Amino acid sequence: MSDVVIYTDLDGTLLDHHTYSTEAASATLSKLRGLGIPVIPCTSKTVAETRPIAAQLRLDGPMIVENGAAVWIPNNWNLSRTESSISEGEMWCHGFGVPRSVIRRQLAILSVEWGNRYQSLCDLSDKQVMSITGLDVDSARLAKERHFCETLVWLGTPADRVAFAQQVRELDMRCVQGARFVHVLSSGGKAEAVSWLHRKISTERPGFEDALSISAGDAENDIDMLQVTDLALLVRSPVYDPPQIARAGGLIVSDQFGPAGWSEGIETLLNQVMEDRVSGRFLPKRHDYNAA
């Protein structure tokens, strides 16, 4: 069943929102490895944060990081490199949009009006990041190694954030709310990255021709991704209500929270795919502008 690819958010989805544990999903992850189904992180985390998590979970494929602003691909996946790609060790990176330094210069235009209502995560001390996130000191340092998006600790009201996001859009950037932080980036976000990567996998990787795409997420910054894949799982959060997802079908919402809900939902979707194939039914492919 290798012609299925799963794209998953981490914090609050595959990782517990409070403890960052993945224990509740371990049996399902083991099952997916046995079936040859890749699980690809699609996260707001940095590549420096994501690598040790992927290694711990034995995920040896690509990684989509910084809210879709960059995709890291192992050399041994033999996917064709883009002209603008950069190499680091056994992986190469394709970035979307402009570097974080350019985003910071653009945000400086708004700092007079908005500067007292947010703080850049990268400007905080390790102890401050630890206090906000519950991460250990090493993980807190890795969280600040951002290259393609600017992550903000929002201090204003929700209404302030909506107005701020509108002004960010007027600067040809976008502002998305994650599980903990607000993220400013110049690319199309997770949906663009998932669509780009899935097209490469389904056209260049043997055994994945016309592969089915499944996405899983829990927060506002996952909405676009959940709308472009063939099937989608919205994982319930213990700290906020599920966001509204605009799609006609192919979406399920977990009953449980975090990794337990991830396991519950992924198992349900896999059973649905298997039953449809046994019965001769074929799931319709998505045909949105950014469809994977």
Side-chain angles (χ1 to χ4, degrees):
M1 196 178 177
S2 62
D3 55 342
V4 174
V5 183
I6 296 173
Y7 301 89
T8 183
D9 175 53
L10 293 180
D11 288 353
T13 300
L14 185 52
L15 308 184
D16 183 272
H17 180 86
H18 299 294
T19 67
Y20 299 100
S21 170
T22 62
E23 184 176 355
S26 59
T28 299
L29 286 168
S30 179
K31 177 180 179 178
L32 294 171
R33 281 194 297 273
L35 291 171
I37 296 176
V39 176
I40 296 177
C42 186
T43 176
S44 62
K45 290 183 178 296
T46 65
V47 66
E49 290 179 279
T50 307
R51 276 178 170 154
I53 294 171
Q56 177 188 355
L57 299 179
R58 297 170 61 189
L59 308 179
D60 57 4
M63 299 178 291
I64 300 172
V65 299
E66 297 192 42
N67 275 294
V71 180
W72 287 84
I73 299 175
N75 294 337
N76 62 12
W77 268 53
N78 297 317
L79 300 183
S80 61
R81 294 184 54 160
T82 55
E83 291 185 5
S84 60
S85 65
I86 58 174
S87 294
E88 185 176 304
E90 298 301 315
M91 303 187 80
W92 59 274
C93 173
H94 174 74
F96 300 86
V98 300
R100 173 175 166 263
S101 58
V102 177
I103 295 173
R104 280 179 69 95
R105 287 199 296 271
Q106 288 286 82
L107 285 179
I109 298 171
L110 306 179
S111 62
V112 173
E113 180 177 357
W114 296 100
N116 65 340
R117 277 170 277 192
Y118 67 79
Q119 291 177 301
S120 169
L121 184 73
C122 296
D123 292 339
L124 301 182
S125 68
D126 295 342
K127 286 186 177 180
Q128 286 174 307
V129 175
M130 292 168 64
S131 175
I132 293 169
T133 62
L135 295 170
D136 60 41
V137 63
D138 291 333
S139 298
R141 288 171 183 160
L142 297 179
K144 296 192 292 181
E145 293 186 16
R146 299 189 175 270
H147 304 287
F148 299 98
C149 79
E150 180 71 334
T151 294
L152 309 177
V153 180
W154 190 253
L155 306 175
T157 66
D160 287 340
R161 182 175 64 83
V162 172
F164 174 75
Q166 176 57 41
Q167 293 192 23
V168 167
R169 283 193 293 272
E170 292 171 2
L171 295 174
D172 293 324
M173 300 186 296
R174 59 185 312 212
C175 179
V176 295
Q177 175 69 57
R180 285 183 173 84
F181 304 115
V182 169
H183 307 274
V184 179
L185 56 159
S186 65
S187 69
K190 292 185 177 185
E192 180 180 3
V194 165
S195 299
W196 179 87
L197 179 57
H198 196 73
R199 281 192 294 269
K200 289 188 77 67
I201 291 173
S202 60
T203 57
E204 299 181 20
R205 189 161 173 81
F208 288 86
E209 296 82 2
D210 203 33
L212 193 73
S213 58
I214 297 176
S215 61
D218 72 313
E220 182 182 314
N221 62 330
D222 298 314
I223 291 175
D224 290 350
M225 173 180 70
L226 295 173
Q227 291 174 168
V228 301
T229 51
D230 298 311
L231 296 171
L233 164 63
L234 178 57
V235 176
R236 289 192 183 274
S237 168
V239 294
Y240 43 77
D241 293 333
Q244 295 297 309
I245 311 298
R247 57 180 295 162
L251 171 73
I252 66 170
V253 181
S254 71
D255 292 323
Q256 301 182 75
F257 299 139
W262 186 90
S263 180
E264 165 206 332
I266 292 297
E267 294 278 2
T268 299
L269 289 174
L270 287 181
N271 288 337
Q272 177 184 337
V273 171
M274 291 179 180
E275 289 172 4
D276 285 349
R277 289 179 176 175
V278 168
S279 65
R281 296 192 302 269
F282 292 92
L283 290 162
K285 300 290 288 182
R286 302 285 288 176
H287 294 290
D288 306 75
Y289 170 72
N290 268 327

